[in-house]
Amino acid sequence: MNNFSRFGFILATVGSAVGLGNIWKFPYITGEYGGGAFVLVYILTILLIGFSLLVAEMFLGYLGKSDAVTTFEQIGIKNSKPSLKYAGFMIFNGIIIMTFYSVVIGWILFYIYHSLNSGLPHSVSVAENNFNNLIGNKIWIQIGFHTLATLIILHFVNGGIKQGIEKLNNTLMPLLFLILTGLLIYSFSFNSFSQAFTFLFEPHWEKLNSEAFIRAVGHSFFTLSLGMGTILTYSASVPKDINITKSALLVMFFDTLIALIAGLIIFTLLFQFGEEPSKGPGLVFISMPVIFYHLGTTGIIFSTLFLFSLAMAGLTSAVSLVEPAVLYLINRFNFTRFKATIFMGFLYWFVGIFAILSYSKDFGKMFSFFGKPLFDILEVTTDSILLPLSGIIIAIVVAFLVSKNELEKVQAELGIFYKIWLFSVKIIVPIAILFLMLNVLGVIKL
Ligand code: PHE
């Protein structure tokens, strides 16, 4: 069969988990919520909520050995709830995410090209102008790079689990790790390294509020690729003797480690050049290029490596976002892999164009709804509503609909921790997510 090897599975799942979320998003939310205290809450959430759900979703994949819709359908039939199959439609969350994820990967590719060609900006205002000009005016360039990103992604999805996805991850993930370690070692040479270290690891309790907690929960889903059938789909192709909980621990460990390394690198550079830690999403595209400029020639190398690592992290996540829906078309509609890949790829690519237009000066209004650009709507809806919703479903299905016999594997692996895990999946995870969603929807304000 076309299964992952054990190592390949772990690497591909780490590849899925480590994405733009780790290198781009984690540092800026950490900055916003004051550093160390947020990191602590984040680690606690990952351990308590993220890990439980990661094991649950991996287990569902292992159990079902099929696409998400079929897996949920089978559990539904056993429990006389045939409509449970619709839960499997969470695979489309990945396609919705891809509409903007691919655009961002396109920006990164453009930045690699641009910084090699025209150099780096010498001040924040120039950098700001560059970025605003890209998203506000350069529609064709963005579409071009969004298309390039799409072609690369589809090429590997079309290769299938073994020849495409496993190969891509086997090459890119070690390389990513190597580059980030190199950049980390380079950051040691700056005086500001210790400041960055303190910022990340010294808790400032006064800055910690319930909003930080909500952000931490939301981010733990996104960063572990939970709630869109990605983990479920990858886990459907694992070797039989896989240890689910060990794999989940490794994935969680590497995901967190890479986020922290990225944070250390970024904050060291920010502090070295007197920039504020809470720079928002523009961090990577505005502050970092200016910092790299100040480093002279090393800066160009540094910048290229940094952008490459971002692109690699993004690509390995992107294939994992597309694969679940592709497998569904293959299994349920008898599509060939090629046809399924093109179909899903075209779908997100096409909507992605409107996401691009929604940020443009000329067409922005046309593609904004409720005063928000389509790009942001796609991001917020998935991040804050669809992923948590799917998370609850996964938790409930595993906790209440899967039989005790079937759970034996997890029980054997977890030993004395099994009861804690079950409690977490049954009670803690659903309550935490419910809280998160009500808060996002504005029903409660913490
Ligand atoms: N985990 C990825 C990140 O942190 C994003 C992602 C979400 C990838 C869901 C796959 C599935 O960027």
Side-chain angles (χ1 to χ4, degrees), residues 16-17 19-22 101 222-225 228 230 317 320-321:
S16 168
L20 302 179
N22 299 60
Y101 210 81
F222 189 80
T223 191
L224 290 178
S225 305
M228 54 204 97
T230 285
S317 297
S320 79
L321 284 162

Side-chain angles (χ1 to χ4, degrees), residues 210-280:
S210 45
E211 204 183 298
F213 174 73
I214 301 277
R215 285 302 289 264
V217 177
H219 188 63
S220 67
F221 279 110
F222 189 80
T223 191
L224 290 178
S225 305
L226 294 168
M228 54 204 97
T230 285
I231 300 294
L232 191 158
T233 304
Y234 274 10
S235 313
S237 305
V238 290
K240 219 175 159 24
D241 58 347
I242 192 92
N243 185 317
I244 295 176
T245 42
K246 247 195 215 150
S247 314
L249 267 178
L250 279 173
V251 171
M252 184 177 69
F253 173 75
F254 278 108
D255 185 70
T256 311
L257 183 69
I258 290 186
L260 292 174
I261 292 181
L264 277 173
I265 298 170
I266 289 177
F267 290 124
T268 300
L269 293 175
L270 282 182
F271 291 144
Q272 186 71 23
F273 293 97
E275 295 271 348
E276 285 298 308
S278 47
K279 261 279 149 63

Side-chain angles (χ1 to χ4, degrees), residues 71-82 84-85 401:
T71 297
F72 280 109
E73 185 178 50
Q74 273 162 4
I75 298 174
I77 290 173
K78 273 193 200 153
N79 289 278
S80 358
K81 294 186 177 53
L84 192 63
K85 78 167 183 200
L401 296 184

Side-chain angles (χ1 to χ4, degrees), residues 277-318:
S278 47
K279 261 279 149 63
L283 193 67
V284 163
F285 295 109
I286 298 171
S287 320
M288 297 306 281
V290 184
I291 288 171
F292 290 134
Y293 169 83
H294 290 299
L295 294 175
T297 326
T298 351
I300 292 267
I301 303 173
F302 210 141
S303 155
T304 313
L305 288 177
F306 179 73
L307 288 170
F308 258 112
S309 56
L310 256 180
M312 291 190 292
L315 288 172
T316 51
S317 297

Side-chain angles (χ1 to χ4, degrees), residues 128-192:
E128 239 163 34
N129 261 341
N130 285 350
F131 184 60
N132 291 337
N133 193 20
L134 172 69
I135 62 172
N137 300 319
K138 296 185 177 164
I139 296 173
W140 285 110
I141 288 191
Q142 288 186 83
I143 294 181
F145 281 91
H146 165 51
T147 310
L148 177 64
T150 299
L151 290 176
I152 301 175
I153 293 159
L154 297 190
H155 170 74
F156 288 100
V157 175
N158 184 43
I161 289 283
K162 195 92 198 149
Q163 295 304 318
I165 295 175
E166 183 164 338
K167 266 200 178 144
L168 176 79
N169 281 289
N170 280 353
T171 321
L172 291 197
M173 288 317 287
L175 201 60
L176 168 73
F177 204 67
L178 212 70
I179 294 183
L180 284 180
T181 312
L183 294 179
L184 180 69
I185 293 172
Y186 182 62
S187 328
F188 291 163
S189 66
F190 291 96
N191 301 332
S192 53

